Amino acid sequence: MQVLALISRKGGTGKSTLAIGLAGAALESGHNVCVVEADPLGTVSNWKRRRDRAAPAVETVHDGLSLLACLPSLAARGVTL
Protein backbone atom coordinates (compact mmCIF):
# COMPACT_ATOMS: atom_id res chain seq x y z
CA MET A 1 0.00 0.00 0.00
CA GLN A 2 1.27 3.46 -0.88
CA VAL A 3 0.66 6.34 1.52
CA LEU A 4 0.54 9.96 0.42
CA ALA A 5 0.42 12.61 3.17
CA LEU A 6 -0.81 16.16 2.57
CA ILE A 7 0.34 18.17 5.57
CA SER A 8 0.35 21.84 6.50
CA ARG A 9 0.05 23.55 9.86
CA LYS A 10 -2.00 26.33 8.33
CA GLY A 11 -5.67 25.85 7.55
CA GLY A 12 -7.16 26.77 4.21
CA THR A 13 -4.19 25.67 2.13
CA GLY A 14 -6.22 23.22 0.02
CA LYS A 15 -5.19 19.92 1.62
CA SER A 16 -8.69 18.42 1.62
CA THR A 17 -9.49 19.66 -1.88
CA LEU A 18 -6.25 18.21 -3.20
CA ALA A 19 -6.84 14.90 -1.38
CA ILE A 20 -10.30 14.59 -2.93
CA GLY A 21 -8.97 15.33 -6.40
CA LEU A 22 -6.07 12.90 -6.06
CA ALA A 23 -8.39 10.21 -4.69
CA GLY A 24 -10.68 10.59 -7.70
CA ALA A 25 -7.79 10.36 -10.15
CA ALA A 26 -6.41 7.29 -8.36
CA LEU A 27 -9.83 5.61 -8.49
CA GLU A 28 -9.99 6.22 -12.23
CA SER A 29 -6.55 4.61 -12.53
CA GLY A 30 -7.79 1.45 -10.79
CA HIS A 31 -6.58 2.00 -7.24
CA ASN A 32 -8.56 0.98 -4.18
CA VAL A 33 -8.46 4.30 -2.32
CA CYS A 34 -9.09 5.39 1.25
CA VAL A 35 -8.73 8.99 2.40
CA VAL A 36 -7.69 9.13 6.06
CA GLU A 37 -8.95 12.37 7.53
CA ALA A 38 -7.35 13.98 10.56
CA ASP A 39 -8.97 17.40 9.99
CA PRO A 40 -11.19 18.33 12.96
CA LEU A 41 -13.42 20.30 10.58
CA GLY A 42 -14.29 17.08 8.74
CA THR A 43 -14.10 18.54 5.25
CA VAL A 44 -13.55 15.21 3.50
CA SER A 45 -16.17 13.45 5.64
CA ASN A 46 -18.73 16.14 4.78
CA TRP A 47 -17.90 15.74 1.09
CA LYS A 48 -18.28 11.95 1.39
CA ARG A 49 -21.74 12.26 2.99
CA ARG A 50 -22.94 14.29 0.01
CA ARG A 51 -21.74 11.69 -2.53
CA ASP A 52 -23.85 8.85 -3.81
CA ARG A 53 -20.84 6.62 -4.60
CA ALA A 54 -19.17 4.19 -2.22
CA ALA A 55 -15.62 4.99 -3.29
CA PRO A 56 -13.36 6.36 -2.07
CA ALA A 57 -13.60 5.16 1.49
CA VAL A 58 -13.01 7.76 4.19
CA GLU A 59 -11.61 6.92 7.63
CA THR A 60 -11.38 9.49 10.41
CA VAL A 61 -8.53 9.53 12.91
CA HIS A 62 -8.13 11.82 15.90
CA ASP A 63 -4.48 11.36 16.84
CA GLY A 64 -1.21 9.81 15.73
CA LEU A 65 -1.81 6.55 17.59
CA SER A 66 -5.13 5.92 15.84
CA LEU A 67 -3.46 6.77 12.53
CA LEU A 68 -0.78 4.14 13.12
CA ALA A 69 -3.44 1.59 14.06
CA CYS A 70 -5.53 2.42 10.98
CA LEU A 71 -2.92 1.87 8.28
CA PRO A 72 -2.37 -1.91 8.70
CA SER A 73 -6.13 -2.54 8.67
CA LEU A 74 -6.49 -0.55 5.44
CA ALA A 75 -3.74 -2.61 3.81
CA ALA A 76 -5.48 -5.82 4.97
CA ARG A 77 -8.70 -4.59 3.31
CA GLY A 78 -6.88 -4.26 -0.02
CA VAL A 79 -6.47 -0.50 -0.08
CA THR A 80 -3.67 0.36 -2.51
CA LEU A 81 -3.45 4.13 -1.93
Side-chain angles (χ1 to χ4, degrees), residues 31-80:
H31 283 277
N32 183 359
V33 179
C34 181
V35 179
V36 179
E37 179 173 50
D39 180 3
L41 294 177
T43 304
V44 175
S45 296
N46 289 334
W47 167 80
K48 176 68 174 172
R49 277 192 290 276
R50 294 189 309 266
R51 277 179 64 86
D52 58 355
R53 297 182 183 163
V58 175
E59 296 284 333
T60 302
V61 296
H62 301 289
D63 56 43
L65 187 59
S66 59
L67 174 61
L68 289 175
C70 176
L71 294 179
S73 68
L74 293 177
R77 290 181 2 209
V79 171
T80 59

